[in-house]
Amino acid sequence: GVENFRRVIMESKRKDWLGILFGVIWFIGSLIILVMYFTGSLGETFTVPRIVAWVYDLLGIVPGALIQMVLSALLIFFSIRKK
């Protein structure tokens, strides 16, 4: 009934905010790596999650960061658009 509907609405809103939050953190992290790379303050080794390191190893720093920024922006866009 109404209780079930209310719970489904609250869960979908929570997922939207989780997507937005994750997308923003992902975007900012990629932006920081890109800025550090261009300013020369990014060392030879830096710590990132394994899947992100795989993207950087495969594509390079600049393309990897740009692709991640685009993907995170899409995540934010679609998380906001769901509402």
Side-chain angles (χ1 to χ4, degrees):
V2 176
E3 293 293 324
N4 247 356
F5 181 72
R6 189 175 298 155
R7 190 179 75 238
V8 168
I9 294 297
M10 292 306 290
E11 285 177 4
S12 70
K13 283 186 179 181
R14 189 176 319 138
K15 288 178 185 173
D16 288 346
W17 281 109
L18 258 166
I20 293 167
L21 180 64
F22 180 74
V24 167
I25 291 170
W26 187 14
F27 186 88
I28 290 172
S30 299
L31 182 64
I32 288 171
I33 296 236
L34 193 62
V35 168
M36 288 176 67
Y37 177 78
F38 280 124
T39 59
S41 57
L42 187 66
E44 283 293 315
T45 59
F46 55 98
T47 304
V48 291
R50 280 190 183 151
I51 191 145
V52 175
W54 182 77
V55 170
Y56 286 133
D57 288 342
L58 184 66
L59 302 172
I61 301 294
V62 176
L66 291 175
I67 288 172
Q68 288 185 71
M69 290 171 71
V70 168
L71 291 175
S72 61
L74 287 172
L75 176 64
I76 294 167
F77 174 74
F78 286 113
S79 293
I80 291 172
R81 192 168 168 228
K82 260 187 180 179
K83 292 182 175 183

